[in-house]
Structures are given as structure tokens and as C-alpha cells.
Amino acid sequence: MKRPRIPTWLERQRYLLDFTLSSLGRRKGKNLALASLYTLVVFGLASVLMYTQALRGEALRVLEGAPDVVVQRMVAGRHDLIPGDRVERLSRIRGVQEARGRLWGYHYDASAKANLTFLVPEKFWGKPGEVVIGEGVARTRLAAPGEPFPILASDGSVVVLKVRETIPSTSELVSSDLVLLSESDFRRLFGVPPDLFTDVALTVPNEKEVATVANKIRGQMPDSRPITHAEIARTYEAILDWRSGLVVLVLAAALLSFGIVAWDKASGLSADERREIGILKAIGWDTSEVLAVKVWEGAVISLSAFLVGLLLAYVHVFVTPAPLLAPVLKGWSTLYPSFRLTPALNPFLVSTLFLLTVVPYTVATVVPAWRAATTDPDAVMRS
Amino acid sequence: MFHQGRPDELVAVDGVSLRLEDAKVTVLRGPSGSGKTSLLALIGCMARPTSGRIHVGEREVTSLPEHFLTQVRRRTFGFVFQQFHLVRGLTALENVMLPAYPLGGSRKALTARAQVLLDRFGVGGRSRARADWLSGGEAQRVAIARALVNDPQVVVADEPTAHLDSKLSVGFMDLVAALRGEGRTVVIASHDPIVHDSAIVDRVVTMRDGCIVGEGP
């Protein structure tokens, strides 16, 4: 028997798709309810995956500028201030190009009910008495450039600094709660003596030497803890994976219930659907053609729900400030910086979602439809 | 034979040998349960016999795989069912077009062909009406139009007048006469006297208990 020409095949698929659409329209209520549920599941899953991936991207962008090794001093298992002479000793270790003492810390601002991060940058471009603040800080403190910025110092006095500007940032995720200031102001505010630093940042140009340098530091200064760039990156990853894992776990329950509904819908063809399949067989449709209609039916529902869910998730994550996920995934305890994530749609993420949603649903519709489609065409005559 | 080897085994058609002539009207007559519908299903390649052979023209079709048997069925036979079996929710026109969907072809040509058939059977004005809004007579005419959309050589009708009044039943036989006039073969299973006593019927085959018990013009 001759194989059908391509145009005939296409025309036939068009007829079958037309019939599928009219068939879906005839059972509007049921199909709409199913598609809405489906969209909701895709929306939830896609939101979590997109959000954590975008957060990961932001964090990695920030890490690009992080030092190769950070050395902290430990006292009784706790992070303590590190003496200034260690900076000199660390810079003499082979493989270390530069060692720089850093000053940074946290400060709970009771008036804004927010936790702020104070940092002395390598080259502070302001004058002593000035601060440069993140957008989140500007928002919560209602502080604009030129305005005073009072801070309660560690000795109980109020130190009034002046806002120089807000931070021009590449990633709002980390800079949102940041206050940049001069070394003298930092020491005054927190009562840090001149010969102590929070930690020491090392530059190790050769990536392969990082582990060796870290080992040497442990040997020479047993009370210190070297933290490598790779370890920081791993910590970020682990935190994000853990947080997204928690949400995905909750969503898994939703996915499971959706699976049950979909399976129930697909396997429990209504009497009307069975009758229709019987008529199609009786008027000359082949089992494969009936099956094609059912596959189209599943594909139309799942693909449209998939695309709409994906689009809604994209809007939720990248256009709105992700109100449904931010409190869980961002992890800020007191200050919620409302930042916008850099839009990104990873093909791997889209295909994972596709495999998780469209494929199982289509399979779930095909199997029972195949069972119904293999009925004898004469069953209609006997009904 | 249905449910072979099970306690409810049923021999619906037994020892039947029948040759149908081209361009003639044959009626299978007999009481309910006599095997008319089962024989009609066998003739129309809708079912396979447990034993025995069926030829369509020169071709033996009993051993064909389902896919090929379906191809023979939809190109050779058009069916009119007792309950008409139109798809609810679709329009009369869409119902008529339905058997032609798997064959592909131009939609414009198919729509025109379906409309011509509906016009011919006097229901052209109802082409946009949904199947569930049609009266019994209209539904039957739409079902006949559907049976003819693939231009089959043989039209098979199972108790086509069971749900029609006498006037509509006579009208149906006029349509059958027109089909025969076009050179089509018509096979009808019916125990309605309006059908088997009609002057346009060439041959009446009487059945009982799955067997042929008599034949006459």
C-alpha cells in the first residue's frame, strides 16, 4: 500500500486537531477546570525553579568580586577580630599576592527594625562622616543623599553621619542592606581598636595554589580559619538548594494530587466520550486516528497549561517582586530588600519542567484512550 | 460467535453463505435476535467471523490486519445506524464531514461536498444546527448524508426506519431508490414491512436464529 503524501498527512492532522479543539470545547467546564489546575502546578514549580536559579545567578555574580581566600580568627570556636600584624604575616606566605585587613559588621537598627550591614570598602570614595547606602536602607530609613544618617554607636552615643549617595549596584540582592563608610567612622561606631580587623582578604592569583595556601595558614596560625572562594560558592549553592528543596517538597504534594486528578480524568473516560469513540470507529476511523485525537487533546491541554504557567511564573518572578516566594527563599529576617532579579530562562529548566508536567500527562491520557479506541467498530451497532 | 469459550457464548450467525449483487437493494428480514445486525456488521467489515471467509469484490478481507480492513471499510461502505449515532455538540455539516477527516484532502472541497449531500436530502438549511437539535427525520437524513460523504459503493443500513413514522419511512425508501439509481449497492437489516415490502427492494433474505431460512424478490 502506498504511503500517504506529506500534504495529505498534514491535512489529516489538521482535521484531527480541528476535531480535537471542538471536542475540548464540547466539554468546556471539565477541561477548563483541569487546565487551570495544571497551570497552577506549572506556575508553582516554575516560579520556584526560576527564582532559585535567578538568585543563584545573582549570588555568583556577587562572588565574582569576592576574594580568593578570607582568613578569620577563631576564639573558642567563634569568629573574633584578627590582629593587624597577621595581615603582614599572611602577605609573606608564598602564593599570596596581597593581604588586606577588612572591616565589616552587622548593626540592628531599631528605628527601621532592620539589620544593616556596615562595610569599609577597599577604597571608600566618600569623606569621613559620610555614608553610601543601599537602596533597601534608603527605603526603610527614608534617607536620601545629603540627609543626616544617625546611628546608635556601641558606647550608647548617637553618631550622625551624612548620606553621600545610594549604591550603584550590579546586584541589588547583596547591596540592598549595605552601608559603606570610612575606616575611622567604622572603628568609632563599633569600638574596634585601630590594630584589629574583622578578617583578612587574600589575593591568590594561581587557583591551584589556593588549597596549599589555606593549609599553610592553618599550620602557621592554628587559631585561624581560611575560607576559600569555592567554599563560599558551595555554601551559597547549598543554602539555595536547601530552600528551594523545601518549597519543591511542598509543591510535590500539589504535583501528586494533580497527578491523581489527571489520571482519574484520563482513565475515567465519560460515557459520552466512550460513545463518541465508538461512533468514530464505526464510521471508519482507525484506532490510530482516534488515538491521535486523544494525544492532541492531552497535548493541547498540557501544552497550553505549560506555556501559560511558565509565562505567569516569569511575570511573578521577574516583573513583580515574587510576593509568593520571596519571604521563604530570600532569607532576610528583618529587612526585606525588594530587588528585581535579572530575567533569565534556562533551556535546561524549561525542559525539566516540560518532562515533569507535559510528558506524564500525555502518557496518562494515551493509555486509557488506547483501551477505549481498541473497541470493535460494531459495538455501536449493538448498542 | 460472541464470548467464545465462555458460559455466555452466543452463535449470532451460523452457516450463512450469501452473495450480494452490485447496484441492487437487499433486505435482511427477521425477528429481533435473528442475526441480521451481526450479519450486517460482517458484510460491512466491522467485525470478523470466527470462521469462514468474506470477499469484497475479488479481495478476501477476513485475514487483513485492522488498519487495512479499516481502509477497505471506509472507502467501500457507508453506514446508517438504527440510533443514527450523530456526534452530539457537532453541527449537522461537521457530522457529515467526519468520516472524511482521516482521508485528508481540501477542507473547502469537503465542506462543499457535505453541503451538497445535505441539500440533496432536504436538510441543507439545517447544516449549521447542532446534531442534538435535529428532529428524528432530520437526524436520519444527516446520517444518510454522512454515510455517502466518502462516495462508497455499498450503503449498509441497520433498522433505519425503527424511529420514524410511516410517512418518513416511505420517504426513506425513496432515498434508497435514488441511491440504487446511482448504481450503489444497498443492504438493509429491517423487520419493518414498509421496507421489505417496498417495490424498490430487489431481494429479501429472511433470517432466524442466525441462519438464512428463506429468500425472495
Side-chain angles (χ1 to χ4, degrees), chain B:
Chain B
M1 188 182 291
F2 293 106
H3 311 300
Q4 194 177 9
R6 299 210 320 234
D8 56 346
E9 182 179 291
L10 172 76
V11 179
V13 178
D14 191 16
V16 167
S17 180
L18 187 67
R19 188 184 175 85
L20 297 172
E21 289 170 68
D22 270 350
K24 302 278 186 208
V25 177
T26 305
V27 172
L28 307 179
R29 177 176 64 180
S32 290
S34 60
K36 304 186 298 291
T37 298
S38 297
L39 183 56
L40 215 54
L42 290 171
I43 293 168
C45 299
M46 277 198 168
R48 292 169 200 276
T50 315
S51 61
R53 292 280 176 269
I54 297 167
H55 289 79
V56 174
E58 297 303 314
R59 193 174 191 186
E60 198 278 315
V61 295
T62 329
S63 52
L64 285 179
E66 195 218 320
H67 177 67
F68 295 96
L69 192 63
T70 305
Q71 302 238 358
V72 171
R73 181 153 52 91
R74 68 180 167 211
R75 290 195 180 277
T76 314
F77 299 96
F79 296 90
V80 180
F81 305 103
Q82 184 174 349
Q83 313 276 357
F84 311 133
H85 287 312
L86 299 178
V87 176
R88 285 196 282 262
L90 289 186
T91 64
L93 187 72
E94 287 166 334
N95 263 289
V96 175
M97 291 162 72
L98 215 47
Y101 282 0
L103 300 175
S106 144
R107 173 170 282 272
K108 204 171 157 191
L110 175 59
T111 311
R113 199 161 78 228
Q115 186 61 51
V116 166
L117 284 167
L118 287 172
D119 288 341
R120 182 183 153 190
F121 296 118
V123 279
R126 302 285 282 153
S127 64
R128 302 283 162 197
R130 281 170 45 167
D132 18 349
W133 299 341
L134 300 174
S135 70
E138 286 170 339
Q140 193 213 41
R141 283 154 190 263
V142 172
I144 297 169
R146 182 178 67 182
L148 295 177
V149 75
N150 283 340
D151 195 22
Q153 174 56 34
V154 185
V155 175
V156 175
D158 184 27
E159 302 284 3
T161 58
H163 299 286
L164 302 181
D165 60 26
S166 300
K167 191 178 162 205
L168 286 172
S169 299
V170 171
F172 172 75
M173 291 315 288
D174 291 341
L175 296 177
V176 171
L179 295 178
R180 187 182 65 167
E182 292 168 3
R184 295 185 207 272
T185 307
V186 181
V187 191
I188 306 169
S190 175
H191 56 269
D192 180 355
I194 294 178
V195 175
H196 53 73
D197 291 346
S198 167
I200 61 141
V201 173
D202 298 294
R203 185 181 176 193
V204 177
V205 176
T206 309
M207 296 189 70
R208 184 171 283 274
D209 301 329
C211 301
I212 293 176
V213 292
E215 269 199 61

Side-chain angles (χ1 to χ4, degrees), chain A residues 47-356:
Chain A
S47 292
V48 174
L49 293 178
M50 276 185 200
Y51 200 83
T52 46
Q53 192 152 64
L55 275 182
R56 189 171 288 129
E58 295 280 333
L60 290 178
R61 254 193 294 283
V62 170
L63 277 177
E64 277 169 15
D68 302 315
V69 181
V70 171
V71 183
Q72 295 178 337
R73 184 181 172 222
M74 305 300 287
V75 173
R78 306 280 295 177
H79 174 204
D80 198 15
L81 295 174
I82 191 164
D85 65 321
R86 300 261 181 115
V87 180
E88 170 63 19
R89 281 174 65 195
L90 285 164
S91 68
R92 284 203 303 268
I93 292 174
R94 267 179 90 91
V96 175
Q97 190 184 58
E98 192 200 348
R100 186 173 64 83
R102 298 196 306 179
L103 287 166
W104 58 270
Y106 301 117
H107 174 82
Y108 178 69
D109 184 359
S111 64
K113 290 183 180 163
N115 218 20
L116 308 181
T117 302
F118 281 73
L119 172 75
V120 178
E122 192 175 353
K123 289 185 185 77
F124 181 58
W125 56 94
K127 291 189 239 109
E130 286 182 338
V131 284
V132 174
I133 56 176
E135 283 175 15
V137 182
R139 227 174 3 251
T140 40
R141 289 283 294 252
L142 300 170
E147 288 183 359
F149 193 82
I151 303 283
L152 188 65
S154 59
D155 60 3
S157 65
V158 175
V159 176
V160 182
L161 303 168
K162 197 171 94 182
V163 177
R164 183 186 167 89
E165 60 190 69
T166 51
I167 296 175
S169 65
T170 48
S171 169
E172 221 189 292
L173 167 62
V174 175
S175 65
S176 187
D177 66 337
L178 209 56
V179 178
L180 301 180
L181 70 174
S182 68
E183 182 175 341
S184 55
D185 288 335
F186 184 91
R187 292 190 186 279
R188 187 155 56 112
L189 268 176
F190 295 100
V192 178
D195 59 336
L196 292 177
F197 291 93
T198 311
D199 54 25
V200 181
L202 305 183
T203 308
V204 180
N206 186 351
E207 204 181 307
K208 287 178 188 161
E209 282 188 48
V210 168
T212 320
V213 168
N215 278 334
K216 280 183 191 166
I217 295 168
R218 275 187 215 104
Q220 290 179 20
M221 304 170 200
D223 64 343
S224 64
R225 178 172 68 177
I227 304 162
T228 64
H229 187 280
E231 283 167 346
I232 302 173
R234 267 206 302 277
T235 311
Y236 267 98
E237 291 266 328
I239 290 172
L240 285 171
D241 283 348
W242 178 74
R243 286 195 181 133
S244 63
L246 273 183
V247 182
V248 168
L249 198 69
V250 175
L251 277 172
L255 197 68
L256 185 72
S257 40
F258 167 71
I260 295 167
V261 171
W263 181 260
D264 183 54
K265 184 262 166 192
S267 55
L269 290 174
S270 66
D272 209 36
E273 282 172 290
R274 282 178 197 284
R275 178 182 175 273
E276 203 171 288
I277 289 176
I279 293 174
L280 294 177
K281 291 286 304 252
I283 60 172
W285 284 42
D286 198 9
T287 302
S288 66
E289 285 139 10
V290 175
L291 215 52
V293 163
K294 288 290 154 189
V295 170
W296 273 120
E297 214 170 274
V300 166
I301 289 186
S302 55
L303 267 178
S304 40
F306 176 75
L307 291 175
V308 173
L310 205 62
L311 188 72
L312 287 178
Y314 189 90
V315 171
H316 175 227
V317 172
F318 297 120
V319 180
T320 70
L324 302 175
L325 286 178
V328 189
L329 290 176
K330 267 191 208 163
W332 261 256
S333 53
T334 44
L335 180 68
Y336 291 98
S338 71
F339 57 87
R340 283 207 178 155
L341 291 162
T342 316
L345 206 55
N346 183 332
F348 177 72
L349 184 146
V350 176
S351 17
T352 307
L353 265 174
F354 187 85
L355 284 174
L356 276 175

